[in-house]
Amino acid sequence: MINRTTLTNLWFNKRGRGYLLQLLVLLGVTTLLAIIASNTIANLQKAGLTSGFGFLGDQAFFDINQRLIEYTSQSSFGRALVVGLLNTVLVSSLGIITATIIGFFAGVLRLSDNWLVSRLITAYVEVTRNVPLLLQIILWWAILTSLPKIRDSIPVFGTLFLNNRGLRAPAPVFEPSFIWVFIVFIACLFFTFLLLFWARRRQRRTGKIFPVGLTALALVATVPLIVFFSLGQPITWDIPARTRFNFQGGFNITPELLALWIALATYTGAFISEIVRAGILSVSKGQSEAALSLGLRKNQTMRLIVIPQALRVIIPPLTSQHLNLTKNSSLAIAIGYQDLVSIGGTILNQSGHALEVVAIWMAVYLSLSLATSAFMNWYNKRISLIER
Amino acid sequence: MSSPKDTPNVYTAARPPPAASVGLIGWLRQNLFSSFSNTILTLVSIYLLSLAIPAVLDWAFWSSQVSGDNRFDCKVEGACWAWLDQRLGQFLFGFYPDGERWRVILAFVLLFAALLPWLTTGVPGQRYLRWFSIAYPFIATVLLAGGFGLEQVPTDKFGGFMLNLIVGLSGIVLSLPVGILLALGRQSKLPLIRWLCIGFIEAVRGVPLITLLFVSNILLPIFLPPDVTLDSIIRVIIMVTAFASAYMAEVIRGGLQAIPSGQYEAANALGLNYWRSMRLIVLPQALRISIPGIVNTFIGLFKDTTLVIVIGLFDILGIANAMVSNPDWLGLSTETYVFVAVFFFVVCFSMSRYSMWLERRLSGQRH
């Protein structure tokens, strides 16, 4: 009977029960994994498939229209995946920048005391948030591809041309001497940082305020411009010119990229505007009143008191919206923009290496999101209110 | 001589407020033209609206057309809605056999009866209706798929908005309990359970739903024993549930963390065991706090049901895609997608309004 008493003791002891429960869960999970593994091996053998990442070196045999690096159909699967990853990065960074700008403007305007403007922004937010993103992407794509043919392109601002093959825009051509403008620009930036550092130290020591903002603006904006003009404007624009069937010069943004960009930016922008609104509302009015009565000027109040406190609320959900946008860019597959998932899907169909391709997808997106949450935790720790 | 005390108080009647601060003019001045920049904003908005509204109305109604057999009958500048009467059935029911569509409609009507006792209070016979709603999933399955004397309808005939509703509602109903368990697991004191839950939640939240759907389509058959096959709609429901419950778990964790530890301690002091203290004390409060987040997750889940098109199912968006590429109706893509968008807007917008109403009602109940 010893066996039974130990068992009952184990059951009525809180710690013992915990161990028992965890042991059972561990057993269950390992059994499940073992079953899946054996099934996978059996299924792969039955289908005559091999596993391993060796296939990444094989020739791809398919074309990719949208590419940032050299790629031909003779290139390898591995290179195709890199092209796809770069396309994901391209549309996500474009989308993140635009969505953040839209979101900040919309969030501030929605709080405006102008009845009409705040209603309009509300309508925008409600409509974009309550319609599936995939549908919005396809709708934008349908609209962009039903634009007139190249022959009847719609000119925008004279140098941009919209047609059913996308947007043709002037391309900047840098002459070799442009490098000097760039070097001067970087030098000015560096000098501004030094200035900021010095001004802060002087203010801490003596209390005197140095107008860093104005000086920095003068430095960073004017000096490179002076160099630019004194070198004889070493940048020219390759403006698209209409030929009989197509355009000569400039560069083309495909309707797929454009549709995905617009849809991701407006959709995520609506979510960001809600975050910004909540952030601004979270700073109590007493804060800005107190700052004003301490003698801070209005823009100082905004810059030193309101915005830092609002950002504390805004930044964590903002980063997760940026991450969402990156993940949502995988919906590109529906309109044929060749991102990581879409190219992975093609490779998966051609080579049959489903496990490996899915593993690559998961690895890429997981590392992106883990990096984001690591940043978020670091930021939260840095800015969290230290009470008492 | 009378002292100031004796002077009778003379009241002058209040003068009316300046005409410019009351009534319509006052409202206009306050809300539209309160400052120079506001005036400019208002004028710009009015100008943009005056361009947009007539154009949209003209496109959708005034110069639209509702009759015709194919796109060659569409001779108007504006929208052509001629496909509606031919295709509406497909948009709603997919390829569900014509003669059996009453079953879908019946299931849809019964759905309201099943949902009502959970959405509001004061419904007559609420207790019995709850029993009915527990039985509802089985009733609906039989109605939709057949059995018990009803003709069998294979699930590949399911489609249109009905498929969105099936996947969305199953996901919603299943993801809430799974999400609660995951959130509790993430807070658990047992390290193995906590780490398993964290691993699952972070892994699922880290990847796009589209890759999970690919997993359901390509990898699940590899993981299952060779002779077992799962219906594709069931596979989608499993994946959508897994996806939504990870997000749900995070929303509920937020609610759990907002409960003061005194509540947990009081429950312990009353002698309640873990499950009872959770069920009776902690979860009711935590869930009430998390209602906005929960409904947002539901809305997201419902919108995500359109993603099933990437694995070849024909939900309402899939039907729209098929129609747009049909030679009879080529080139009517804008009309079609706008029509689909209206469906989702109505459902999602009413869900979010409902959650706001619920929040207001519950915040009144708090002590």
Side-chain angles (χ1 to χ4, degrees):
Chain A
M1 288 321 256
I2 282 174
N3 200 1
R4 192 173 155 191
T5 25
T6 16
L7 258 184
T8 18
N9 274 346
L10 212 58
W11 185 245
F12 285 110
N13 174 336
K14 204 172 176 188
R15 259 177 76 190
R17 206 161 52 209
Y19 283 127
L20 205 66
L21 196 63
Q22 293 189 66
L23 193 71
L24 284 178
V25 170
L26 187 67
L27 270 177
V29 172
T30 34
T31 325
L32 190 69
L33 286 180
I35 291 174
I36 287 178
S38 80
N39 282 339
T40 309
I41 292 167
N43 280 318
L44 286 182
Q45 264 174 358
K46 210 174 97 186
L49 288 170
T50 53
S51 51
F53 287 92
F55 74 99
L56 288 177
D58 297 351
Q59 193 181 336
F61 288 115
F62 59 85
D63 271 321
I64 302 175
N65 299 322
Q66 167 79 38
R67 52 180 185 260
L68 294 175
I69 54 170
E70 203 61 39
Y71 173 88
T72 60
S73 55
Q74 269 99 53
S75 305
S76 64
F77 282 136
R79 196 168 177 84
L81 276 176
V82 174
V83 173
L85 177 61
L86 286 177
N87 283 343
T88 297
V89 172
L90 172 73
V91 75
S92 318
S93 12
L94 286 174
I96 283 174
I97 295 168
T98 330
T100 312
I101 296 172
I102 294 177
F104 270 83
F105 273 105
V108 171
L109 283 180
R110 194 166 170 193
L111 287 175
S112 140
D113 45 11
N114 190 318
W115 182 84
L116 189 61
V117 170
S118 73
R119 286 305 141 102
L120 276 178
I121 301 286
T122 312
Y124 151 70
V125 171
E126 291 297 346
V127 168
T128 34
R129 278 184 0 145
N130 286 316
V131 172
L133 173 60
L134 183 61
L135 180 53
Q136 294 186 40
I137 292 175
I138 295 180
L139 181 60
W140 280 112
W141 184 65
I143 290 174
L144 287 175
T145 47
S146 63
L147 284 172
K149 295 202 176 76
I150 288 182
R151 231 179 324 155
D152 315 308
S153 294
I154 308 166
V156 188
F157 306 127
T159 50
L160 297 169
F161 294 96
L162 258 179
N163 53 48
N164 64 354
R165 302 242 198 105
L167 180 74
R168 192 158 276 266
V173 180
F174 300 101
E175 280 163 35
S177 58
F178 184 80
I179 189 88
W180 288 108
V181 181
F182 187 69
I183 289 173
V184 167
F185 177 71
I186 295 290
C188 287
L189 268 186
F190 180 68
F191 191 70
T192 311
F193 274 109
L194 284 185
L195 190 74
L196 189 73
F197 189 64
W198 170 81
R200 230 179 238 175
R201 264 187 49 185
R202 199 184 69 149
Q203 188 183 353
R204 221 164 273 165
R205 234 184 23 248
T206 64
K208 281 182 192 151
I209 297 174
F210 185 82
V212 181
L214 281 178
T215 331
L217 192 70
L219 258 178
V220 179
T222 12
V223 178
L225 267 183
I226 294 171
V227 176
F228 179 75
F229 282 108
S230 60
L231 284 171
Q233 306 185 27
I235 190 170
T236 48
W237 291 95
D238 181 12
I239 292 170
R242 215 176 290 212
T243 60
R244 239 179 110 185
F245 298 110
N246 207 334
F247 277 98
Q248 194 93 57
F251 71 97
N252 194 47
I253 304 175
T254 60
E256 288 79 29
L257 174 59
L258 209 54
L260 197 58
W261 181 11
I262 298 175
L264 285 173
T266 47
Y267 182 79
T268 316
F271 284 88
I272 291 179
S273 82
E274 288 290 89
I275 293 168
V276 170
R277 187 170 76 114
I280 295 175
L281 285 177
S282 75
V283 182
S284 68
K285 217 173 175 183
Q287 292 287 322
S288 47
E289 285 167 358
L292 286 172
S293 64
L294 278 175
L296 294 184
R297 276 186 246 120
K298 217 166 181 186
N299 66 340
Q300 282 177 326
T301 309
M302 204 62 195
R303 192 161 51 87
L304 300 172
I305 307 294
V306 178
I307 289 181
Q309 296 190 65
L311 280 186
R312 193 203 305 280
V313 181
I314 290 173
I315 297 247
L318 182 68
T319 34
S320 76
Q321 280 304 327
H322 289 168
L323 185 65
N324 277 349
L325 188 146
T326 311
K327 285 189 287 176
N328 282 336
S329 71
S330 62
L331 297 179
I333 196 171
I335 55 168
Y337 176 80
Q338 284 154 314
D339 77 324
L340 180 69
V341 171
S342 150
I343 287 181
T346 315
I347 293 176
L348 190 155
N349 283 334
Q350 276 196 15
S351 68
H353 286 277
L355 270 177
E356 291 84 347
V357 171
V358 171
I360 292 174
W361 284 341
M362 301 267 170
V364 169
Y365 284 108
L366 269 183
S367 44
L368 270 176
S369 73
L370 289 182
T372 312
S373 51
F375 164 78
M376 222 139 53
N377 287 341
W378 169 81
Y379 182 83
N380 265 335
K381 221 168 256 168
R382 213 179 73 103
I383 61 156
S384 64
L385 273 180
I386 298 156
E387 285 175 330
R388 271 171 283 170
Chain B
M1 281 283 284
S2 60
S3 65
K5 239 183 182 172
D6 298 333
T7 20
N9 289 326
V10 177
Y11 295 105
T12 41
R15 274 187 292 172
S21 70
V22 288
L24 181 65
I25 296 175
W27 186 87
L28 283 177
R29 273 177 75 145
Q30 216 169 28
N31 292 303
L32 295 179
F33 303 103
S34 62
S35 67
F36 180 69
S37 57
N38 260 342
T39 310
I40 290 185
L41 273 177
T42 306
L43 292 179
V44 169
S45 317
I46 289 177
Y47 173 68
L48 290 179
L49 280 179
S50 71
L51 288 185
I53 290 181
V56 168
L57 285 181
D58 189 55
W59 177 80
F61 301 109
W62 311 152
S63 41
S64 70
Q65 174 182 346
V66 286
S67 60
D69 292 331
N70 54 42
R71 73 188 160 109
F72 302 107
D73 293 342
C74 292
K75 297 203 164 56
V76 286
E77 292 262 315
C80 181
W81 304 109
W83 45 273
L84 260 179
D85 58 337
Q86 275 185 29
R87 298 297 178 113
L88 187 63
Q90 244 183 45
F91 273 88
L92 295 178
F93 305 107
F95 309 109
Y96 211 81
D98 273 338
E100 306 292 325
R101 282 180 181 169
W102 61 270
R103 284 157 51 179
V104 183
I105 297 170
L106 181 63
F108 186 66
V109 172
L110 288 180
L111 172 71
F112 282 97
L115 283 180
L116 207 60
W118 304 94
L119 295 182
T120 182
T121 49
V123 185
Q126 190 137 10
R127 180 172 295 178
Y128 306 105
L129 268 180
R130 287 200 175 173
W131 286 110
F132 169 69
S133 46
I134 289 167
Y136 177 76
F138 305 101
I139 299 173
T141 314
V142 171
L143 267 178
L144 294 178
F148 294 104
L150 288 169
E151 193 190 324
Q152 299 273 349
V153 179
T155 53
D156 55 356
K157 298 268 187 242
F158 289 18
F161 203 57
M162 161 194 160
L163 184 62
N164 293 95
L165 282 177
I166 293 176
V167 174
L169 284 172
S170 323
I172 285 172
V173 169
L174 294 172
S175 67
L176 189 61
V178 179
I180 291 175
L181 285 181
L182 280 172
L184 290 177
R186 196 174 179 158
Q187 306 274 67
S188 164
K189 289 192 183 68
L190 309 174
L192 182 73
I193 291 176
R194 187 172 66 237
W195 284 109
L196 275 177
C197 289
I198 292 181
F200 178 83
I201 292 171
E202 293 301 329
V204 169
R205 274 162 38 97
V207 297
L209 177 57
I210 236 178
T211 58
L212 288 184
L213 289 176
F214 270 111
V215 167
S216 87
N217 218 24
I218 301 157
L219 290 191
L220 268 191
I222 300 184
F223 290 158
L224 289 172
D227 45 344
V228 176
T229 48
L230 263 182
D231 189 82
S232 63
I233 292 183
I234 307 258
R235 284 189 309 218
V236 165
I237 290 176
I238 292 175
M239 280 303 161
V240 166
T241 306
F243 187 74
S245 53
Y247 283 83
M248 195 64 80
E250 286 300 272
V251 169
I252 293 168
R253 180 168 73 117
L256 286 176
Q257 281 173 347
I259 305 297
S261 51
Q263 296 287 327
Y264 292 85
E265 287 156 12
N268 273 338
L270 283 173
L272 298 177
N273 66 18
Y274 176 79
W275 290 108
R276 281 201 171 164
S277 68
M278 286 299 147
R279 190 166 56 86
L280 299 172
I281 310 287
V282 177
L283 277 176
Q285 303 181 62
L287 290 180
R288 188 158 68 190
I289 299 174
S290 348
I291 282 175
I294 292 175
V295 178
N296 274 341
T297 314
F298 284 165
I299 293 175
L301 188 157
F302 188 67
K303 287 188 294 179
D304 281 344
T305 57
T306 49
L307 264 60
V308 298
I309 62 168
V310 298
I311 56 166
L313 293 184
F314 283 92
D315 75 324
I316 189 168
L317 188 54
I319 298 275
N321 278 342
M323 198 195 89
V324 164
S325 52
N326 180 322
D328 274 353
W329 299 109
L330 215 58
L332 297 179
S333 42
T334 312
E335 288 92 328
T336 317
Y337 293 126
V338 166
F339 174 74
V340 176
V342 169
F343 264 85
F344 278 96
F345 180 78
V346 168
V347 174
C348 297
F349 188 69
S350 24
M351 260 155 92
S352 77
R353 290 294 121 159
Y354 170 73
S355 106
M356 285 161 96
W357 173 80
L358 195 62
E359 235 179 295
R360 259 202 310 277
R361 210 188 62 171
L362 289 178
S363 71
Q365 276 178 15
R366 210 166 294 164
H367 308 292

